[in-house]
Amino acid sequence: MKIEELNINDHYGEIGEVLNDEQKKRGLLIYAFQQIQKEYNYLPEDKLEGLSKKLNIPLAEVYSTASFYKHFYFKPRGRNIVCVCMGTACHVRGASKALKSLEEEFGVKEGETTPDQSLTLETVGCVGCCGLAPVVTVNEEVIGEVSARKVGEIIEQVKKGKGNGNNRG
Ligand code: FES
């Protein structure tokens, strides 16, 4: 998405008639964040600065709006997002072991991305499949009853680049 081409009168249809320019600009921010993240997989600083200038919204406000939403990221993310559920059921059933193995194998801690950006390792409170605990997700795929063998398969999958990298939009 080219920030220069953003037009505050697009994207609103009929409702645009009842919004003032300020409201339209703020609404457009979210659309722009989505488009930027789709393209870059996160929100690069220079793009947010460009948005701030284009829409004449202070940069601090641009950041605070983006950080309100949990799904916008400010650091590059990996082509594969491996997420270990650390909710109670998964924790009790050994999720920490899976997390430790993944951390050791890829040399990253939870929340970090490998230098080659092949993987971002994350944790989550509960993915809603407690009956399958412990659970790990790889991109959109939910893997249940994660044993040491399954952790090995996840590692292979990421190393062979089999992860579909669908977080790239
Ligand atoms: S605690 Fe892991 S799926 Fe619910």
Side-chain angles (χ1 to χ4, degrees):
M1 185 203 67
K2 290 201 167 66
I3 289 170
E4 324 67 79
E5 290 172 7
L6 272 179
N7 183 335
I8 67 163
N9 288 311
D10 290 346
H11 313 288
Y12 291 104
E14 285 180 10
I15 200 167
E17 292 169 23
V18 295
L19 298 174
N20 62 35
D21 281 358
E22 214 47 40
Q23 291 167 321
K24 287 181 191 170
K25 283 197 304 185
R26 274 159 179 72
L28 196 57
L29 260 187
I30 309 299
Y31 167 79
F33 293 154
Q34 288 167 337
Q35 297 308 306
I36 293 169
Q37 187 156 293
K38 202 168 168 185
E39 191 171 344
Y40 296 94
N41 204 19
Y42 77 111
L43 300 176
E45 196 177 335
D46 63 322
K47 298 295 168 195
L48 295 182
E49 285 169 359
L51 259 184
S52 162
K53 283 191 190 125
K54 168 76 184 179
L55 298 176
N56 197 22
I57 296 174
L59 186 57
E61 199 177 320
V62 170
Y63 268 100
S64 79
T65 304
S67 49
F68 178 79
Y69 299 92
K70 203 169 177 269
H71 63 280
F72 291 127
Y73 301 97
F74 300 98
K75 287 197 293 190
R77 301 181 86 219
R79 292 183 295 282
N80 294 282
I81 308 298
V82 175
C83 184
V84 181
C85 180
M86 296 300 286
T88 307
C90 290
H91 179 70
V92 167
R93 292 191 159 176
S96 327
K97 267 198 227 161
L99 180 62
K100 190 161 183 272
S101 301
L102 290 163
E103 285 179 337
E104 285 174 2
E105 184 65 36
F106 291 102
V108 289
K109 293 284 180 200
E110 150 194 13
E112 292 179 349
T113 298
T114 55
D116 66 358
Q117 294 190 359
S118 62
L119 164 130
T120 295
L121 184 60
E122 297 180 338
T123 58
V124 67
C126 176
V127 293
C129 316
C130 306
L132 297 176
V135 172
V136 172
T137 61
V138 179
N139 303 317
E140 304 294 310
E141 185 186 358
V142 175
I143 301 167
E145 297 174 349
V146 172
S147 56
R149 179 180 60 78
K150 283 194 182 176
V151 169
E153 287 172 5
I154 291 168
I155 290 167
E156 280 305 299
Q157 182 178 341
V158 172
K159 284 192 170 174
K160 284 183 186 162
K162 278 190 183 166
N164 58 15
N166 58 4
N167 58 311
R168 288 263 185 221

